[in-house]
Amino acid sequence: MESVYYTSTATILGDVGIVWRRKDGGATVMRIFLPAEGEGTDDLVQRSFPRAVRRSHRAIHQLCRSIQGLRAARDVTFSEKILDMKVCGEFQRRVLNHVMRIPRGRVSTYGRLAEKSRASRGARAVGNSLAMNPYPLIIPCHRVIRSDGSLGGFGGGLKMKKDLLLMEGITFDAKGKVLAKFLC
């Protein structure tokens, strides 16, 4: 049986858990856990990966530093190579690949991603794929909104989604909708 490890890193959002395994002398990320109100990161990880052992790795340590850099308003880029994309289905991988290309400080809509992912009229399917995104923050699903500019959903909650967008310089109108000038 393959060993599974995890580490956590303190962020402005709270503790973020990273579950990973060894691969070819390096590390590959299996899942990212966002902080949840009333539940510790260790508990979240252990519920889904009960045999995970707390440990770090040079590549995971660097990933933690990059995640922490999000709060410093730096344009942090993450490499897809560290992610174990085999945990995702084909359609979800297509969606997540498009989301990875949404630049910091910009947003797209569920509908636009559906078109790019060859699922015309599939905004709901895109939303479902993003709801199951195993790599939030690394694959920035918080940058996807509804076509009317409202936030839609987010695994870390709408407050966290809005906070992440604000950290990226995105602003909102009086009704809490993302301004159209941020759409890509």
Side-chain angles (χ1 to χ4, degrees), residues 34-151:
L34 295 174
E37 193 171 320
E39 193 163 12
T41 302
D42 288 354
D43 295 332
L44 290 169
V45 168
Q46 290 297 313
R47 189 169 353 114
S48 295
F49 297 90
R51 297 183 191 269
V53 176
R54 182 180 278 280
R55 188 166 296 156
S56 194
H57 183 280
R58 180 178 36 87
I60 301 301
H61 179 72
Q62 179 57 44
L63 178 63
C64 290
R65 288 181 37 168
S66 294
I67 289 172
Q68 291 168 345
L70 291 172
R71 73 172 173 201
R74 291 196 323 248
D75 189 10
V76 178
T77 56
F78 297 99
S79 171
E80 296 173 52
K81 294 176 184 171
I82 197 167
L83 304 178
D84 183 1
M85 295 299 284
K86 288 181 278 180
V87 302
C88 304
E90 181 183 336
F91 177 73
Q92 185 181 31
R93 279 195 303 269
R94 276 200 317 264
V95 170
L96 295 177
N97 281 328
H98 289 299
V99 172
M100 288 269 308
R101 284 149 187 76
I102 302 171
R104 179 184 176 87
R106 305 292 295 208
V107 295
S108 189
T109 66
Y110 297 104
R112 286 182 184 186
L113 285 174
E115 290 171 15
K116 289 180 179 181
S117 302
R118 295 176 297 213
S120 61
R121 303 172 63 101
R124 185 172 304 241
V126 167
N128 289 337
S129 289
L130 295 180
M132 302 303 291
N133 176 7
Y135 312 112
L137 303 179
I138 296 174
I139 297 180
C141 54
H142 62 277
R143 295 180 186 156
V144 182
I145 61 171
R146 291 182 176 156
S147 60
D148 69 354
S150 62
L151 292 180

